[in-house]
Each structure stands twice: as structure tokens, then as C-alpha cells.
Amino acid sequence: MKLRILILAVFTVSLSMSMSAQLNKYKYIIVPKQFDAYKVPNRHQTSTMVKHLLIQNGFNAVYDDALPGDLANNRCLGLIADLEDNSSLFATKTVLVLKDCQLNEVFRTIEGHSKVKDYKSAYKEVLNECFISFQGMDYVYTPSKEQEKKTEKEQPITVSFKNDVKQLPEKPEEEVVIQETTPENQTYKSVKPEESSYVKGSTSEKPIQKGILYAQPTENGYQLVDSTPKVVMKLMKTSVDEIFLVNHDGKNGMLTKQDGKWILEYADGDGKTKELNIKF
């Protein structure tokens, strides 16, 4: 077995070096929680082991139900991992295949092979053998010029309304005089603009809406900015769409959507909550 692995390693190193450039343009590898070959999630811990081995080989591996923001918006940034299980009654055999966002095959490992009877041990052995194909790869994510241009276009545009309110120059008050001089009438009337009875801050003034926070996507979630713009707090995604972890002013908390409203609750145990006005 050791001799077979050594021969496979020597054979695949040169092949892996030529394939590494092809994988460098992908930022992520998406690992399904349940591979198509199995009827239950993480069968024989295959999903767990594949993700662990990918990370161990320098790849940014993520589960299919926990995608970063940029990958969720553009699935073509990542490759999709798939396991082809060719096991028989007497041997466990699998191949790891990486496919692009259009399900075109980009990379295929050698076939791992084991005759160990315990399934968990057998799949651990075959997957480690599959990953011999990644030896010799110097993987470094290198976006293409097309991807860089696309990323620049997708960057959120920050609009600041600061200093947008201009003060109109004061216009000197003009006095309009109506004068009539006839043999019958001799009148003189000054028509001067009357001062407004409007009082600043009175109840008739429509208040400016305050406290709106604007959500800007980040790699792991969102950052909330005000109209200054100033980053107020950062949100980290969880496995549930409408629940975020929050760190604000050194306090840890959780942001949840309840009855259409975003509610912030800190983890200090006092039970106090705060409603936030967020625009995504």
C-alpha cells in the first residue's frame, strides 16, 4: 500500500503543478453538506473530511449553506466539490471532482482505494489518497482581469449628503411704495414684506428622519453605516438568514428580525433590546 501511494504521489506531483494555475482563479471551494452519492448529510463524515483536507491544502473551503457575501452574489468565484463513489462489496473507492458554476469539470483527483471494512476508517483512507493529487500545488487565489473589473463594478457606491444643504444668500428686504397724487386723493402706502410667523422647531415643521443605517456587504456579512458615512457596527452572517452576530463598542450581541423589525440585543444578560432602522 505504501509503495502504491508513493508511485501515485510521484505521478501526480508534476500533473498538480500544471493544474494549480487553473485553480488559482477560483477564490473558494464549496463543499456540500450532503454529496449526491449519499442519502444522508455528511455520510461517513465525508463532508467534514473533504472540507478539512481542502483547508489543510491551502484552499478556502466553505459549506454550501454558509456562503460568504461575495460568493453568494457571484457563485462563479468558487468551485463545487463532488464525490464520485465507485465502491464495491469488497472495496471502498472514491474520486473527488471540482466543477465550476456551470457544472463543467475543472479538476479530478486520482481514485482513492481501501479494503478496510470499517466505513469511517475506509473513507478517511481513500480521501487522503485522493488528496495526493493536490501535492505540489502552490495554490494562490489570483483573480483574472475580468473578475477584477467585475468586482470593482460591484463595489457599493457610498453617497454622502454632508454639506449638501447650501445657505441661500440673504436678499435685502425691498420696500414697495404705492403713491397716488391726484387732486382728489393724496396717499402714500408702504408695502413691506411681512415677517414669517414660522418658528423653527415648531410642531408644524416636518422632522427629518434620523437613525437610518445602510447595510454594505462585506466578506463575512455586512457593515452598517450612517449618512455621514461612518461605520457604526459590523454584522457577521450565521446559518440563519435573518440572524446576525454583532460586535458594537466592545459588546457582543445578536441582531434578529422580529415582526418585520430589526432588533439588537446585547449578550450582557440585562434583557434590553434596541430597534434599528436598517436599509439593505
Side-chain angles (χ1 to χ4, degrees):
M1 177 60 72
K2 290 183 180 179
L3 178 61
R4 178 174 178 270
I5 293 175
L6 179 62
I7 294 172
L8 288 173
V10 173
F11 176 76
T12 56
V13 164
S14 58
L15 179 62
S16 298
M17 291 177 68
S18 64
M19 290 297 296
S20 62
Q22 189 172 350
L23 298 183
N24 284 348
K25 62 182 180 181
Y26 297 99
K27 188 176 181 180
Y28 302 97
I29 297 183
I30 304 170
V31 180
K33 284 285 187 73
Q34 180 178 337
F35 288 108
D36 291 339
Y38 310 117
K39 295 181 179 180
V40 295
N42 203 22
R43 181 72 168 172
H44 309 307
Q45 295 189 344
T46 48
S47 297
T48 305
M49 283 190 285
V50 167
K51 183 173 184 286
H52 169 73
L53 290 170
L54 283 168
I55 292 173
Q56 202 173 52
N57 281 270
F59 294 96
N60 193 353
V62 296
Y63 285 127
D64 56 355
D65 62 351
L67 303 183
D70 57 346
L71 181 58
N73 293 329
N74 181 13
R75 294 292 289 265
C76 293
L77 282 175
L79 292 171
I80 304 168
D82 188 27
L83 273 185
E84 290 184 1
D85 197 320
N86 305 314
S87 301
S88 63
L89 184 63
F90 302 104
T92 302
K93 295 181 285 184
T94 60
V95 176
L96 180 67
V97 181
L98 301 180
K99 301 177 182 179
D100 64 17
C101 59
Q102 310 219 340
L103 301 182
N104 298 313
E105 185 174 311
V106 175
F107 183 75
R108 173 181 290 265
T109 69
I110 59 172
E111 184 179 69
H113 183 278
S114 175
K115 290 188 176 181
V116 176
K117 293 182 179 181
D118 177 68
Y119 284 123
K120 184 177 177 181
S121 300
Y123 278 95
K124 183 177 180 180
E125 183 176 329
V126 297
L127 287 174
N128 275 288
E129 193 168 313
C130 287
F131 271 81
I132 292 174
S133 297
F134 292 97
Q135 291 183 6
M137 279 192 184
D138 187 18
Y139 167 77
V140 177
Y141 171 56
T142 310
S144 63
K145 291 183 179 179
E146 184 179 346
Q147 287 176 329
E148 287 178 343
K149 289 180 180 178
K150 188 172 182 181
T151 302
E152 288 176 2
K153 290 180 181 179
E154 291 176 349
Q155 287 297 320
I157 299 173
T158 303
V159 180
S160 174
F161 297 99
K162 189 177 181 181
N163 299 324
D164 267 11
V165 179
K166 306 296 182 182
Q167 185 172 4
L168 296 176
E170 293 185 1
K171 185 177 181 181
E173 294 180 348
E174 295 181 357
E175 186 173 1
V176 181
V177 176
I178 300 175
Q179 184 173 355
E180 183 182 2
T181 307
T182 65
E184 293 80 15
N185 296 304
Q186 293 187 13
T187 60
Y188 177 91
K189 183 180 180 182
S190 175
V191 183
K192 186 177 181 179
E194 295 182 2
E195 293 185 4
S196 172
S197 60
Y198 170 78
V199 179
K200 186 177 181 181
S202 66
T203 55
S204 61
E205 179 185 5
K206 185 177 180 181
I208 299 174
Q209 191 173 12
K210 296 181 179 180
I212 299 177
L213 300 177
Y214 301 88
Q216 296 179 340
T218 62
E219 186 172 343
N220 297 317
Y222 295 90
Q223 63 181 16
L224 301 183
V225 301
D226 57 21
S227 59
T228 311
K230 173 187 175 183
V231 177
V232 177
M233 68 179 67
K234 294 186 178 181
L235 310 180
M236 183 177 294
K237 283 187 175 181
T238 66
S239 58
V240 181
D241 290 341
E242 296 182 343
I243 296 179
F244 296 93
L245 298 179
V246 177
N247 184 281
H248 180 223
D249 291 338
K251 293 182 180 180
N252 294 321
M254 182 176 294
L255 182 69
T256 59
K257 196 168 189 180
Q258 303 175 21
D259 298 325
K261 298 178 181 179
W262 289 104
I263 305 299
L264 173 62
E265 182 176 358
Y266 290 108
D268 55 6
D270 61 0
K272 292 182 179 179
T273 60
K274 181 179 181 181
E275 182 182 341
L276 300 182
N277 189 355
I278 304 174
K279 286 191 177 182
F280 284 87

